[in-house]
Amino acid sequence: MLELQTQTSTPRRIPVLEIFGPTVQGEGMVIGRKTMFVRTAGCDYSCAWCDSAFTWDGTGKKDIRMLTPEEICAELYSIGGDAFAHVTLSGGNPALLPQLGSLIELLHRDGLQVALETQGSRWQDWFLQIDDLTLSPKPPSSGMLTDWLVLDGIVSQLTEPGRSFSLKVVVFDEADLEFAAQVHERYPLVPFYAQAGNDRLHETEPARLLPYLLERYQWLIDRVMTHRGLRQVHVLPQLHTWVWGNKKGV
């Protein structure tokens, strides 16, 4: 796994793999939201079905650029012009990077809202600055194990009036569904999203992928509707894969 740490000589620089958009957010609490993306490198997990494995398996290492917050903002505006008001920090796991706080402050100074998704394995104080924060603990099919004490601590620090955060679990099979119910029952007051997973990452034709994704979404809807442990749940597809398949940079 590629865990990038800040160099002492360049404490504000951020390892960036991609900056793209505007596009629609395909997942979680802000699904359908028009947004720009900043994808950072490095992750402390290596999920079996990760759709962004290039962020941590070494295959994208040559594409990493160490950018300052100012350089990232300049590129966001160069690509997106004045046609956006929302930026999503993605990965990998951006929660590995304490220096992201400087970027978030700069984005807010420009009147932009900021979203983040992370698995809930690391805390950063700048979580409290995120406008739309999604914690997405990984289910059994990922091959990863959730540290419940760490996740408990993060949820506790985020739980206060007026703060916008949610929990999301990607579901591929029955074991994942039961994990999702466990998460929902553990944190019943946190808005919860169950999302159908995509395990056909090598399919290059969106038209061939979509029927399969629709089938998986229908399966998840059917299972959630009859599950007593999943009562107050939003059931989502992975929207961007319905439109663009497994294409990067959208």
Side-chain angles (χ1 to χ4, degrees), residues 22 34-36 73 76-77 79-87 107 112:
K34 181 179 180 179
T35 190
M36 295 290 292
C73 283
L76 284 167
Y77 287 120
I79 296 170
D82 60 357
F84 67 95
H86 190 269
V87 176
L107 294 170
L112 303 172

Side-chain angles (χ1 to χ4, degrees), residues 136-148:
S136 183
K138 304 310 177 188
S141 63
S142 71
M144 301 291 104
L145 295 175
T146 296
D147 187 326
W148 294 105

Side-chain angles (χ1 to χ4, degrees), residues 18-231:
E18 293 183 298
I19 298 176
F20 61 92
T23 186
V24 293
Q25 171 58 259
E27 306 186 10
M29 64 190 293
V30 286
I31 190 169
R33 178 72 186 265
K34 181 179 180 179
T35 190
M36 295 290 292
F37 274 86
V38 176
R39 187 182 300 282
T40 62
C43 194
D44 50 334
Y45 278 20
S46 55
C47 296
W49 36 251
C50 179
D51 60 1
S52 304
F54 64 94
T55 63
W56 52 263
D57 66 4
T59 59
K61 193 171 184 178
K62 65 179 180 5
D63 297 320
I64 296 172
R65 295 179 293 153
M66 299 299 296
L67 302 180
T68 66
E70 292 78 10
E71 289 169 337
I72 293 172
C73 283
E75 190 161 330
L76 284 167
Y77 287 120
S78 174
I79 296 170
D82 60 357
F84 67 95
H86 190 269
V87 176
T88 298
L89 304 177
S90 185
N93 184 10
L96 297 178
L97 305 171
Q99 66 269 38
L100 275 177
S102 297
L103 173 61
I104 296 163
E105 289 177 5
L106 193 57
L107 294 170
H108 280 165
R109 201 177 308 157
D110 280 355
L112 303 172
Q113 291 188 309
V114 183
L116 169 80
E117 180 173 316
T118 178
Q119 56 260 46
S121 61
R122 303 283 184 95
W123 168 263
Q124 294 291 348
D125 288 343
W126 51 256
F127 280 10
L128 300 174
Q129 302 175 46
I130 296 293
D131 300 289
D132 303 302
L133 175 57
T134 298
L135 301 176
S136 183
K138 304 310 177 188
S141 63
S142 71
M144 301 291 104
L145 295 175
T146 296
D147 187 326
W148 294 105
L149 291 180
V150 171
L151 187 57
D152 286 348
I154 293 173
V155 170
S156 177
Q157 291 185 84
L158 291 172
T159 303
E160 60 181 59
R163 188 162 304 286
S164 177
F165 84 103
S166 66
L167 285 154
K168 185 194 81 177
V169 173
V170 180
V171 177
F172 289 85
D173 55 30
E174 293 289 343
D176 290 355
L177 189 74
E178 293 311 310
F179 177 85
Q182 181 183 3
V183 172
H184 185 41
E185 291 171 348
R186 192 179 185 96
Y187 313 108
L189 300 181
V190 181
F192 186 81
Y193 297 80
Q195 181 176 293
N198 171 23
D199 56 3
R200 294 193 176 178
L201 301 178
H202 300 293
E203 177 56 70
T204 59
E205 291 296 329
R208 286 202 296 262
L209 181 61
L210 181 56
Y212 174 73
L213 296 178
L214 179 58
E215 176 187 302
R216 299 308 301 156
Y217 184 44
Q218 290 173 327
W219 171 83
L220 181 58
I221 290 172
D222 290 343
R223 293 295 294 114
V224 169
M225 293 308 109
T226 59
H227 200 297
R228 296 180 63 188
L230 293 166
R231 295 183 179 182

